[in-house]
Amino acid sequence: MSTLPITFEDVAAAHERLRGVAHHTPVLTSRTANERTGAQLFFKCENLQRMGAFKFRGAYNAIAQFTPEQKGGGVITFSSGNHAQAIALSARLLGVKAVIVMPHDAPSVKVEATRGYGGEIVFYDRYTEDREALGQRLAAERGLTLIPPYDHPHVMAGQGTAAKELFEETGELDLLLTPLGGGGLLSGCATAAHALAPACTVIGVEPEAGNDGQRSLQSGEIVHIDTPKTLADGAQTQHLGNYTFAVIRERVSEIVTVSDAELVETMKFFASRMKLVVEPTGCLAAAAVLHGKVDVRGKRVGVLISGGNVDLLRFAELVQAAG
Ligand SMILES: *Cc1c(COP(=O)(O)O)cnc(C)c1O
């Protein structure tokens, strides 16, 4: 038996740490979606999680396990998306200083949200500076602990608690689909599925423009690509992580892709039919189900909605353009 970077015990321990801190998000159903697909769909709504995405789970689980020395030093990350806000909020709740490295042309809503949670922002030039190198230099100079957005066992275990909650509510499922970027969410959820619903098939969904995960699973090696052009900004990763891929290759059956147009149609579906605001990346798994990328007919299917952080004006524009 191979040893994987995380076990179900790690997910269960993360769930204990998050008790009373993370929201136990609702699982919603839709008669319309069930009729459209011929399946019984269970939507796990992490768009309603604290700070608007599942990323709070992993970030909090990682910082909560800092040694007293690490807590005194502070945390740093170089992601500008939902992970930045998750780190800033988790750090504040745990009384730890947070430094976030962001490109100086990052959307102002993200900068403000991160600042609002008390994070110190260090700007860099995305065309001339390497954010990873800068993050590592700052970490060393200022005694900060670096928590990356996905390739870290504590982050992965935290993300898996979303699926643990889902299975505890629905019981056995035939299929579970989650969005896929760097694989923190998918690897954590697949670990929970393996323990709680061993017969459940786990599928990752990534943007068509960046199918590195699909190619990695097929070839057995991590495939690197250029930053893909897609509306799914939370899944614009260039490659899976070493830890996440080790779990994905063992526990995930298939990776499918969806187009940006399918993501927008799904955003519109959620808004009009289920009264949910879901960001493009958050729609990946649902788009695969609603657009027939996976055979779901007659099955009980878990669908992870990963986040809802989208500028409202942008949301309106996208939905309107979809007609
Ligand atoms: C980060 C993110 C993802 C991708 O998660 P990974 O763990 O990198 O695979 C999907 N959806 C949203 C909303 C995210 O913020």
Side-chain angles (χ1 to χ4, degrees), residues 33 37 89 170 173-174 250 269:
T37 58
L89 173 60
T170 61
L173 296 172
D174 300 306
E250 290 289 320
F269 174 85

Side-chain angles (χ1 to χ4, degrees), residues 37-81:
T37 58
Q40 212 181 337
L41 307 177
F42 300 92
F43 296 99
K44 176 66 170 167
C45 295
E46 286 295 300
N47 56 318
L48 303 177
Q49 185 51 263
R50 290 185 78 167
M51 56 62 54
F54 71 91
K55 288 237 173 46
F56 177 69
R57 296 174 182 268
Y60 188 92
N61 187 50
I63 301 174
Q65 291 181 77
F66 276 16
T67 64
E69 197 188 357
Q70 287 177 311
K71 280 192 174 141
V75 60
I76 183 168
T77 193
F78 49 72
S79 155
S80 58

Side-chain angles (χ1 to χ4, degrees), residues 54-55 82 150 179-185 234 279 281-282 306-307:
F54 71 91
K55 288 237 173 46
N82 286 331
Y150 53 87
L180 171 61
L185 180 65
E279 63 184 276
T281 318
S306 55

